[in-house]
PDB file of all heavy atoms in Angstrom:
ATOM      1  N   TYR O   1      -9.465  -4.784   1.669  1.00 94.00           N
ATOM      2  CA  TYR O   1     -10.869  -5.038   1.988  1.00 94.00           C
ATOM      3  C   TYR O   1     -11.051  -5.372   3.473  1.00 94.00           C
ATOM      4  O   TYR O   1     -12.052  -4.998   4.084  1.00 94.00           O
ATOM      5  CB  TYR O   1     -11.400  -6.170   1.117  1.00 94.00           C
ATOM      6  CG  TYR O   1     -12.845  -6.494   1.387  1.00 94.00           C
ATOM      7  CD1 TYR O   1     -13.855  -5.716   0.830  1.00 94.00           C
ATOM      8  CD2 TYR O   1     -13.205  -7.536   2.224  1.00 94.00           C
ATOM      9  CE1 TYR O   1     -15.187  -5.985   1.086  1.00 94.00           C
ATOM     10  CE2 TYR O   1     -14.532  -7.821   2.478  1.00 94.00           C
ATOM     11  CZ  TYR O   1     -15.516  -7.043   1.915  1.00 94.00           C
ATOM     12  OH  TYR O   1     -16.835  -7.308   2.176  1.00 94.00           O
ATOM     13  N   PHE O   2     -10.067  -6.038   4.051  1.00 95.00           N
ATOM     14  CA  PHE O   2     -10.154  -6.461   5.451  1.00 95.00           C
ATOM     15  C   PHE O   2      -9.365  -5.554   6.407  1.00 95.00           C
ATOM     16  O   PHE O   2      -9.212  -5.876   7.588  1.00 95.00           O
ATOM     17  CB  PHE O   2      -9.652  -7.901   5.599  1.00 95.00           C
ATOM     18  CG  PHE O   2     -10.537  -8.923   4.938  1.00 95.00           C
ATOM     19  CD1 PHE O   2     -10.137  -9.569   3.775  1.00 95.00           C
ATOM     20  CD2 PHE O   2     -11.768  -9.262   5.488  1.00 95.00           C
ATOM     21  CE1 PHE O   2     -10.940 -10.525   3.170  1.00 95.00           C
ATOM     22  CE2 PHE O   2     -12.587 -10.213   4.896  1.00 95.00           C
ATOM     23  CZ  PHE O   2     -12.177 -10.849   3.737  1.00 95.00           C
ATOM     24  N   PHE O   3      -8.849  -4.424   5.954  1.00 96.00           N
ATOM     25  CA  PHE O   3      -8.006  -3.556   6.789  1.00 96.00           C
ATOM     26  C   PHE O   3      -8.715  -3.001   8.022  1.00 96.00           C
ATOM     27  O   PHE O   3      -8.055  -2.524   8.933  1.00 96.00           O
ATOM     28  CB  PHE O   3      -7.425  -2.406   5.964  1.00 96.00           C
ATOM     29  CG  PHE O   3      -6.093  -2.726   5.315  1.00 96.00           C
ATOM     30  CD1 PHE O   3      -5.579  -4.013   5.274  1.00 96.00           C
ATOM     31  CD2 PHE O   3      -5.361  -1.710   4.728  1.00 96.00           C
ATOM     32  CE1 PHE O   3      -4.366  -4.291   4.666  1.00 96.00           C
ATOM     33  CE2 PHE O   3      -4.141  -1.973   4.124  1.00 96.00           C
ATOM     34  CZ  PHE O   3      -3.638  -3.256   4.098  1.00 96.00           C
ATOM     35  N   ASP O   4     -10.031  -3.053   8.100  1.00 95.00           N
ATOM     36  CA  ASP O   4     -10.711  -2.611   9.318  1.00 95.00           C
ATOM     37  C   ASP O   4     -10.271  -3.432  10.525  1.00 95.00           C
ATOM     38  O   ASP O   4     -10.388  -2.976  11.662  1.00 95.00           O
ATOM     39  CB  ASP O   4     -12.237  -2.701   9.164  1.00 95.00           C
ATOM     40  CG  ASP O   4     -12.799  -1.590   8.301  1.00 95.00           C
ATOM     41  OD1 ASP O   4     -12.324  -0.442   8.408  1.00 95.00           O
ATOM     42  OD2 ASP O   4     -13.717  -1.874   7.509  1.00 95.00           O
ATOM     43  N   TYR O   5      -9.754  -4.623  10.295  1.00 96.00           N
ATOM     44  CA  TYR O   5      -9.302  -5.483  11.394  1.00 96.00           C
ATOM     45  C   TYR O   5      -7.903  -5.127  11.900  1.00 96.00           C
ATOM     46  O   TYR O   5      -7.482  -5.637  12.932  1.00 96.00           O
ATOM     47  CB  TYR O   5      -9.335  -6.960  10.970  1.00 96.00           C
ATOM     48  CG  TYR O   5     -10.727  -7.481  10.773  1.00 96.00           C
ATOM     49  CD1 TYR O   5     -11.203  -7.766   9.491  1.00 96.00           C
ATOM     50  CD2 TYR O   5     -11.577  -7.677  11.851  1.00 96.00           C
ATOM     51  CE1 TYR O   5     -12.494  -8.241   9.301  1.00 96.00           C
ATOM     52  CE2 TYR O   5     -12.869  -8.153  11.666  1.00 96.00           C
ATOM     53  CZ  TYR O   5     -13.315  -8.430  10.395  1.00 96.00           C
ATOM     54  OH  TYR O   5     -14.591  -8.891  10.216  1.00 96.00           O
ATOM     55  N   LEU O   6      -7.175  -4.288  11.173  1.00 95.00           N
ATOM     56  CA  LEU O   6      -5.826  -3.901  11.583  1.00 95.00           C
ATOM     57  C   LEU O   6      -5.864  -2.678  12.502  1.00 95.00           C
ATOM     58  O   LEU O   6      -6.702  -1.787  12.319  1.00 95.00           O
ATOM     59  CB  LEU O   6      -4.970  -3.542  10.366  1.00 95.00           C
ATOM     60  CG  LEU O   6      -4.469  -4.669   9.488  1.00 95.00           C
ATOM     61  CD1 LEU O   6      -3.659  -4.098   8.325  1.00 95.00           C
ATOM     62  CD2 LEU O   6      -3.638  -5.657  10.279  1.00 95.00           C
ATOM     63  N   PRO O   7      -4.931  -2.599  13.440  1.00 95.00           N
ATOM     64  CA  PRO O   7      -4.795  -1.357  14.218  1.00 95.00           C
ATOM     65  C   PRO O   7      -4.437  -0.210  13.270  1.00 95.00           C
ATOM     66  O   PRO O   7      -3.764  -0.419  12.254  1.00 95.00           O
ATOM     67  CB  PRO O   7      -3.642  -1.645  15.179  1.00 95.00           C
ATOM     68  CG  PRO O   7      -3.423  -3.122  15.140  1.00 95.00           C
ATOM     69  CD  PRO O   7      -3.977  -3.624  13.848  1.00 95.00           C
ATOM     70  N   ALA O   8      -4.873   0.984  13.594  1.00 95.00           N
ATOM     71  CA  ALA O   8      -4.705   2.141  12.706  1.00 95.00           C
ATOM     72  C   ALA O   8      -3.254   2.360  12.278  1.00 95.00           C
ATOM     73  O   ALA O   8      -2.985   2.620  11.098  1.00 95.00           O
ATOM     74  CB  ALA O   8      -5.245   3.399  13.378  1.00 95.00           C
ATOM     75  N   GLU O   9      -2.320   2.234  13.190  1.00 95.00           N
ATOM     76  CA  GLU O   9      -0.914   2.486  12.863  1.00 95.00           C
ATOM     77  C   GLU O   9      -0.392   1.472  11.839  1.00 95.00           C
ATOM     78  O   GLU O   9       0.275   1.838  10.871  1.00 95.00           O
ATOM     79  CB  GLU O   9      -0.059   2.418  14.134  1.00 95.00           C
ATOM     80  CG  GLU O   9       1.381   2.788  13.911  1.00 95.00           C
ATOM     81  CD  GLU O   9       2.163   2.786  15.211  1.00 95.00           C
ATOM     82  OE1 GLU O   9       1.750   3.484  16.165  1.00 95.00           O
ATOM     83  OE2 GLU O   9       3.191   2.084  15.253  1.00 95.00           O
ATOM     84  N   LEU O  10      -0.730   0.220  12.027  1.00 95.00           N
ATOM     85  CA  LEU O  10      -0.300  -0.811  11.083  1.00 95.00           C
ATOM     86  C   LEU O  10      -1.014  -0.646   9.747  1.00 95.00           C
ATOM     87  O   LEU O  10      -0.411  -0.831   8.680  1.00 95.00           O
ATOM     88  CB  LEU O  10      -0.553  -2.209  11.660  1.00 95.00           C
ATOM     89  CG  LEU O  10      -0.106  -3.385  10.807  1.00 95.00           C
ATOM     90  CD1 LEU O  10       1.364  -3.279  10.400  1.00 95.00           C
ATOM     91  CD2 LEU O  10      -0.365  -4.695  11.549  1.00 95.00           C
ATOM     92  N   ARG O  11      -2.269  -0.273   9.793  1.00 95.00           N
ATOM     93  CA  ARG O  11      -3.033  -0.033   8.556  1.00 95.00           C
ATOM     94  C   ARG O  11      -2.362   1.069   7.742  1.00 95.00           C
ATOM     95  O   ARG O  11      -2.167   0.926   6.532  1.00 95.00           O
ATOM     96  CB  ARG O  11      -4.470   0.331   8.915  1.00 95.00           C
ATOM     97  CG  ARG O  11      -5.369   0.514   7.736  1.00 95.00           C
ATOM     98  CD  ARG O  11      -6.824   0.669   8.135  1.00 95.00           C
ATOM     99  NE  ARG O  11      -7.042   1.574   9.236  1.00 95.00           N
ATOM    100  CZ  ARG O  11      -7.691   1.256  10.367  1.00 95.00           C
ATOM    101  NH1 ARG O  11      -8.179   0.060  10.553  1.00 95.00           N
ATOM    102  NH2 ARG O  11      -7.865   2.154  11.313  1.00 95.00           N
ATOM    103  N   GLN O  12      -1.961   2.150   8.384  1.00 96.00           N
ATOM    104  CA  GLN O  12      -1.293   3.259   7.688  1.00 96.00           C
ATOM    105  C   GLN O  12       0.033   2.807   7.081  1.00 96.00           C
ATOM    106  O   GLN O  12       0.358   3.173   5.950  1.00 96.00           O
ATOM    107  CB  GLN O  12      -1.053   4.424   8.657  1.00 96.00           C
ATOM    108  CG  GLN O  12      -2.313   5.145   9.096  1.00 96.00           C
ATOM    109  CD  GLN O  12      -2.980   5.867   7.948  1.00 96.00           C
ATOM    110  OE1 GLN O  12      -3.781   5.294   7.213  1.00 96.00           O
ATOM    111  NE2 GLN O  12      -2.664   7.119   7.769  1.00 96.00           N
ATOM    112  N   LYS O  13       0.751   1.988   7.828  1.00 95.00           N
ATOM    113  CA  LYS O  13       2.040   1.481   7.335  1.00 95.00           C
ATOM    114  C   LYS O  13       1.827   0.616   6.093  1.00 95.00           C
ATOM    115  O   LYS O  13       2.550   0.742   5.111  1.00 95.00           O
ATOM    116  CB  LYS O  13       2.739   0.673   8.429  1.00 95.00           C
ATOM    117  CG  LYS O  13       4.063   0.092   8.013  1.00 95.00           C
ATOM    118  CD  LYS O  13       4.684  -0.717   9.130  1.00 95.00           C
ATOM    119  CE  LYS O  13       5.982  -1.326   8.632  1.00 95.00           C
ATOM    120  NZ  LYS O  13       6.497  -2.353   9.513  1.00 95.00           N
ATOM    121  N   ARG O  14       0.846  -0.258   6.144  1.00 95.00           N
ATOM    122  CA  ARG O  14       0.573  -1.142   5.010  1.00 95.00           C
ATOM    123  C   ARG O  14       0.122  -0.351   3.778  1.00 95.00           C
ATOM    124  O   ARG O  14       0.548  -0.647   2.674  1.00 95.00           O
ATOM    125  CB  ARG O  14      -0.487  -2.188   5.399  1.00 95.00           C
ATOM    126  CG  ARG O  14      -0.006  -3.216   6.404  1.00 95.00           C
ATOM    127  CD  ARG O  14       0.999  -4.192   5.834  1.00 95.00           C
ATOM    128  NE  ARG O  14       0.338  -4.957   4.792  1.00 95.00           N
ATOM    129  CZ  ARG O  14       0.628  -4.898   3.490  1.00 95.00           C
ATOM    130  NH1 ARG O  14       1.613  -4.160   3.062  1.00 95.00           N
ATOM    131  NH2 ARG O  14      -0.056  -5.591   2.614  1.00 95.00           N
ATOM    132  N   ILE O  15      -0.713   0.664   3.983  1.00 95.00           N
ATOM    133  CA  ILE O  15      -1.143   1.492   2.850  1.00 95.00           C
ATOM    134  C   ILE O  15       0.059   2.200   2.235  1.00 95.00           C
ATOM    135  O   ILE O  15       0.195   2.260   1.012  1.00 95.00           O
ATOM    136  CB  ILE O  15      -2.251   2.486   3.266  1.00 95.00           C
ATOM    137  CG1 ILE O  15      -3.539   1.724   3.595  1.00 95.00           C
ATOM    138  CG2 ILE O  15      -2.505   3.506   2.146  1.00 95.00           C
ATOM    139  CD1 ILE O  15      -4.634   2.584   4.210  1.00 95.00           C
ATOM    140  N   ALA O  16       0.955   2.708   3.075  1.00 95.00           N
ATOM    141  CA  ALA O  16       2.161   3.377   2.572  1.00 95.00           C
ATOM    142  C   ALA O  16       3.026   2.400   1.774  1.00 95.00           C
ATOM    143  O   ALA O  16       3.598   2.770   0.732  1.00 95.00           O
ATOM    144  CB  ALA O  16       2.953   3.978   3.733  1.00 95.00           C
ATOM    145  N   GLU O  17       3.131   1.147   2.216  1.00 95.00           N
ATOM    146  CA  GLU O  17       3.903   0.144   1.482  1.00 95.00           C
ATOM    147  C   GLU O  17       3.280  -0.144   0.120  1.00 95.00           C
ATOM    148  O   GLU O  17       3.983  -0.264  -0.888  1.00 95.00           O
ATOM    149  CB  GLU O  17       3.994  -1.149   2.305  1.00 95.00           C
ATOM    150  CG  GLU O  17       4.838  -1.026   3.556  1.00 95.00           C
ATOM    151  CD  GLU O  17       4.623  -2.179   4.532  1.00 95.00           C
ATOM    152  OE1 GLU O  17       3.702  -3.009   4.334  1.00 95.00           O
ATOM    153  OE2 GLU O  17       5.391  -2.244   5.509  1.00 95.00           O
ATOM    154  N   ILE O  18       1.974  -0.241   0.097  1.00 95.00           N
ATOM    155  CA  ILE O  18       1.268  -0.488  -1.163  1.00 95.00           C
ATOM    156  C   ILE O  18       1.429   0.711  -2.094  1.00 95.00           C
ATOM    157  O   ILE O  18       1.645   0.552  -3.299  1.00 95.00           O
ATOM    158  CB  ILE O  18      -0.215  -0.824  -0.903  1.00 95.00           C
ATOM    159  CG1 ILE O  18      -0.323  -2.146  -0.138  1.00 95.00           C
ATOM    160  CG2 ILE O  18      -1.008  -0.882  -2.208  1.00 95.00           C
ATOM    161  CD1 ILE O  18      -1.691  -2.422   0.461  1.00 95.00           C
ATOM    162  N   GLU O  19       1.359   1.912  -1.532  1.00 95.00           N
ATOM    163  CA  GLU O  19       1.584   3.136  -2.322  1.00 95.00           C
ATOM    164  C   GLU O  19       2.963   3.120  -2.966  1.00 95.00           C
ATOM    165  O   GLU O  19       3.120   3.440  -4.145  1.00 95.00           O
ATOM    166  CB  GLU O  19       1.492   4.376  -1.419  1.00 95.00           C
ATOM    167  CG  GLU O  19       0.180   5.028  -1.348  1.00 95.00           C
ATOM    168  CD  GLU O  19       0.256   6.283  -0.482  1.00 95.00           C
ATOM    169  OE1 GLU O  19       0.918   6.275   0.571  1.00 95.00           O
ATOM    170  OE2 GLU O  19      -0.372   7.272  -0.864  1.00 95.00           O
ATOM    171  N   HIS O  20       3.959   2.764  -2.174  1.00 95.00           N
ATOM    172  CA  HIS O  20       5.335   2.747  -2.670  1.00 95.00           C
ATOM    173  C   HIS O  20       5.474   1.753  -3.828  1.00 95.00           C
ATOM    174  O   HIS O  20       6.081   2.064  -4.865  1.00 95.00           O
ATOM    175  CB  HIS O  20       6.305   2.398  -1.537  1.00 95.00           C
ATOM    176  CG  HIS O  20       7.728   2.305  -1.970  1.00 95.00           C
ATOM    177  ND1 HIS O  20       8.465   3.406  -2.335  1.00 95.00           N
ATOM    178  CD2 HIS O  20       8.538   1.231  -2.135  1.00 95.00           C
ATOM    179  CE1 HIS O  20       9.678   3.029  -2.694  1.00 95.00           C
ATOM    180  NE2 HIS O  20       9.746   1.703  -2.585  1.00 95.00           N
ATOM    181  N   LYS O  21       4.913   0.574  -3.654  1.00 94.00           N
ATOM    182  CA  LYS O  21       4.968  -0.441  -4.705  1.00 94.00           C
ATOM    183  C   LYS O  21       4.257   0.050  -5.965  1.00 94.00           C
ATOM    184  O   LYS O  21       4.734  -0.154  -7.086  1.00 94.00           O
ATOM    185  CB  LYS O  21       4.332  -1.733  -4.191  1.00 94.00           C
ATOM    186  CG  LYS O  21       4.545  -2.916  -5.074  1.00 94.00           C
ATOM    187  CD  LYS O  21       4.018  -4.186  -4.410  1.00 94.00           C
ATOM    188  CE  LYS O  21       4.261  -5.388  -5.268  1.00 94.00           C
ATOM    189  NZ  LYS O  21       3.788  -6.627  -4.653  1.00 94.00           N
ATOM    190  N   GLN O  22       3.127   0.733  -5.794  1.00 95.00           N
ATOM    191  CA  GLN O  22       2.380   1.260  -6.940  1.00 95.00           C
ATOM    192  C   GLN O  22       3.180   2.357  -7.645  1.00 95.00           C
ATOM    193  O   GLN O  22       3.210   2.418  -8.878  1.00 95.00           O
ATOM    194  CB  GLN O  22       1.029   1.811  -6.482  1.00 95.00           C
ATOM    195  CG  GLN O  22       0.130   2.249  -7.612  1.00 95.00           C
ATOM    196  CD  GLN O  22      -0.293   1.081  -8.477  1.00 95.00           C
ATOM    197  OE1 GLN O  22      -0.841   0.105  -8.010  1.00 95.00           O
ATOM    198  NE2 GLN O  22      -0.028   1.179  -9.766  1.00 95.00           N
ATOM    199  N   ALA O  23       3.832   3.212  -6.871  1.00 97.00           N
ATOM    200  CA  ALA O  23       4.651   4.284  -7.457  1.00 97.00           C
ATOM    201  C   ALA O  23       5.802   3.697  -8.275  1.00 97.00           C
ATOM    202  O   ALA O  23       6.126   4.213  -9.352  1.00 97.00           O
ATOM    203  CB  ALA O  23       5.179   5.201  -6.360  1.00 97.00           C
ATOM    204  N   LEU O  24       6.399   2.631  -7.786  1.00 96.00           N
ATOM    205  CA  LEU O  24       7.471   1.969  -8.549  1.00 96.00           C
ATOM    206  C   LEU O  24       6.942   1.384  -9.854  1.00 96.00           C
ATOM    207  O   LEU O  24       7.602   1.476 -10.895  1.00 96.00           O
ATOM    208  CB  LEU O  24       8.120   0.867  -7.706  1.00 96.00           C
ATOM    209  CG  LEU O  24       8.977   1.321  -6.531  1.00 96.00           C
ATOM    210  CD1 LEU O  24       9.452   0.117  -5.718  1.00 96.00           C
ATOM    211  CD2 LEU O  24      10.156   2.157  -6.998  1.00 96.00           C
ATOM    212  N   ALA O  25       5.762   0.794  -9.808  1.00 95.00           N
ATOM    213  CA  ALA O  25       5.159   0.228 -11.018  1.00 95.00           C
ATOM    214  C   ALA O  25       4.872   1.330 -12.031  1.00 95.00           C
ATOM    215  O   ALA O  25       5.112   1.158 -13.238  1.00 95.00           O
ATOM    216  CB  ALA O  25       3.887  -0.537 -10.664  1.00 95.00           C
ATOM    217  N   ILE O  26       4.381   2.458 -11.569  1.00 97.00           N
ATOM    218  CA  ILE O  26       4.102   3.592 -12.467  1.00 97.00           C
ATOM    219  C   ILE O  26       5.400   4.102 -13.081  1.00 97.00           C
ATOM    220  O   ILE O  26       5.474   4.361 -14.285  1.00 97.00           O
ATOM    221  CB  ILE O  26       3.367   4.723 -11.717  1.00 97.00           C
ATOM    222  CG1 ILE O  26       1.949   4.278 -11.365  1.00 97.00           C
ATOM    223  CG2 ILE O  26       3.346   6.012 -12.536  1.00 97.00           C
ATOM    224  CD1 ILE O  26       1.241   5.209 -10.402  1.00 97.00           C
ATOM    225  N   HIS O  27       6.436   4.228 -12.265  1.00 97.00           N
ATOM    226  CA  HIS O  27       7.728   4.689 -12.764  1.00 97.00           C
ATOM    227  C   HIS O  27       8.244   3.750 -13.860  1.00 97.00           C
ATOM    228  O   HIS O  27       8.732   4.206 -14.910  1.00 97.00           O
ATOM    229  CB  HIS O  27       8.741   4.790 -11.619  1.00 97.00           C
ATOM    230  CG  HIS O  27      10.101   5.207 -12.071  1.00 97.00           C
ATOM    231  ND1 HIS O  27      10.392   6.494 -12.481  1.00 97.00           N
ATOM    232  CD2 HIS O  27      11.248   4.502 -12.219  1.00 97.00           C
ATOM    233  CE1 HIS O  27      11.658   6.562 -12.845  1.00 97.00           C
ATOM    234  NE2 HIS O  27      12.200   5.367 -12.700  1.00 97.00           N
ATOM    235  N   HIS O  28       8.095   2.456 -13.638  1.00 97.00           N
ATOM    236  CA  HIS O  28       8.520   1.475 -14.637  1.00 97.00           C
ATOM    237  C   HIS O  28       7.740   1.665 -15.941  1.00 97.00           C
ATOM    238  O   HIS O  28       8.328   1.649 -17.031  1.00 97.00           O
ATOM    239  CB  HIS O  28       8.326   0.054 -14.097  1.00 97.00           C
ATOM    240  CG  HIS O  28       8.553  -1.008 -15.116  1.00 97.00           C
ATOM    241  ND1 HIS O  28       9.807  -1.378 -15.561  1.00 97.00           N
ATOM    242  CD2 HIS O  28       7.677  -1.775 -15.807  1.00 97.00           C
ATOM    243  CE1 HIS O  28       9.692  -2.308 -16.472  1.00 97.00           C
ATOM    244  NE2 HIS O  28       8.418  -2.577 -16.640  1.00 97.00           N
ATOM    245  N   LEU O  29       6.429   1.856 -15.842  1.00 95.00           N
ATOM    246  CA  LEU O  29       5.611   2.057 -17.046  1.00 95.00           C
ATOM    247  C   LEU O  29       5.970   3.356 -17.757  1.00 95.00           C
ATOM    248  O   LEU O  29       5.979   3.409 -18.998  1.00 95.00           O
ATOM    249  CB  LEU O  29       4.122   2.037 -16.697  1.00 95.00           C
ATOM    250  CG  LEU O  29       3.543   0.681 -16.292  1.00 95.00           C
ATOM    251  CD1 LEU O  29       2.091   0.841 -15.858  1.00 95.00           C
ATOM    252  CD2 LEU O  29       3.665  -0.326 -17.426  1.00 95.00           C
ATOM    253  N   GLU O  30       6.271   4.399 -17.001  1.00 95.00           N
ATOM    254  CA  GLU O  30       6.673   5.676 -17.609  1.00 95.00           C
ATOM    255  C   GLU O  30       7.990   5.519 -18.373  1.00 95.00           C
ATOM    256  O   GLU O  30       8.151   6.069 -19.469  1.00 95.00           O
ATOM    257  CB  GLU O  30       6.792   6.757 -16.542  1.00 95.00           C
ATOM    258  CG  GLU O  30       5.461   7.197 -15.988  1.00 95.00           C
ATOM    259  CD  GLU O  30       5.560   8.081 -14.753  1.00 95.00           C
ATOM    260  OE1 GLU O  30       6.632   8.089 -14.092  1.00 95.00           O
ATOM    261  OE2 GLU O  30       4.561   8.740 -14.435  1.00 95.00           O
ATOM    262  N   GLN O  31       8.922   4.765 -17.805  1.00 94.00           N
ATOM    263  CA  GLN O  31      10.191   4.520 -18.486  1.00 94.00           C
ATOM    264  C   GLN O  31       9.972   3.692 -19.755  1.00 94.00           C
ATOM    265  O   GLN O  31      10.570   3.967 -20.792  1.00 94.00           O
ATOM    266  CB  GLN O  31      11.177   3.808 -17.543  1.00 94.00           C
ATOM    267  CG  GLN O  31      11.580   4.627 -16.340  1.00 94.00           C
ATOM    268  CD  GLN O  31      12.147   5.984 -16.725  1.00 94.00           C
ATOM    269  OE1 GLN O  31      13.027   6.095 -17.584  1.00 94.00           O
ATOM    270  NE2 GLN O  31      11.626   7.035 -16.122  1.00 94.00           N
TER     271      GLN O  31
END
């Protein structure tokens, strides 16, 4: 919600980290 305050490069990095964590959670649920 507050990512507008982050520099674009850091914002992209944080979104990628959240994506990775979400993908792991999905993989766990699929298993």
Side-chain angles (χ1 to χ4, degrees):
Y1 180 80
F2 292 108
F3 271 11
D4 285 321
Y5 292 109
L6 286 179
E9 185 177 305
L10 182 54
R11 184 171 45 235
Q12 290 294 87
K13 179 181 178 193
R14 291 289 296 113
I15 292 172
E17 291 165 351
I18 295 166
E19 266 183 319
H20 178 70
K21 191 174 182 179
Q22 186 65 55
L24 289 175
I26 291 169
H27 178 72
H28 172 75
L29 290 175
E30 289 169 341
Q31 296 305 311

